[in-house]
Amino acid sequence: MTEAEMLQRIEDLENKSGQAYQVIGALLWQCGLHETAEGTRALDYFSQDAYDDDFLPWPKSELG
């Protein structure tokens, strides 16, 4: 894989992550979980580049 291809792949994955963030936000809203601690935790996690091995299980606390 060339450097240009790797850079394109990174850009594509960043765009895909942004789309996933939007879908997650819409689903949380539909379920009434958008403004809960676990909803906020999910949106915060998916808005950042860092990977957290301990993110799952989700939710970690009671929803609602």
Side-chain angles (χ1 to χ4, degrees):
M1 182 178 281
T2 67
E3 183 177 351
E5 291 170 328
M6 286 191 303
L7 292 173
Q8 183 62 53
R9 176 114 171 101
I10 290 168
E11 183 179 341
D12 290 348
L13 289 171
E14 288 173 344
N15 290 334
K16 187 175 184 177
S17 178
Q19 290 174 333
Y21 176 88
Q22 295 296 318
V23 170
I24 292 164
L27 292 171
L28 288 169
W29 187 263
Q30 289 289 320
C31 295
L33 300 172
H34 189 265
E35 296 184 15
T36 64
E38 285 299 307
T40 300
R41 184 171 81 87
L43 288 175
D44 286 349
Y45 178 67
F46 286 100
S47 70
Q48 302 170 9
D49 290 337
Y51 174 79
D52 180 359
D53 240 357
D54 296 321
F55 176 74
L56 296 176
W58 187 92
K60 286 194 179 193
S61 63
E62 181 105 7
L63 292 174

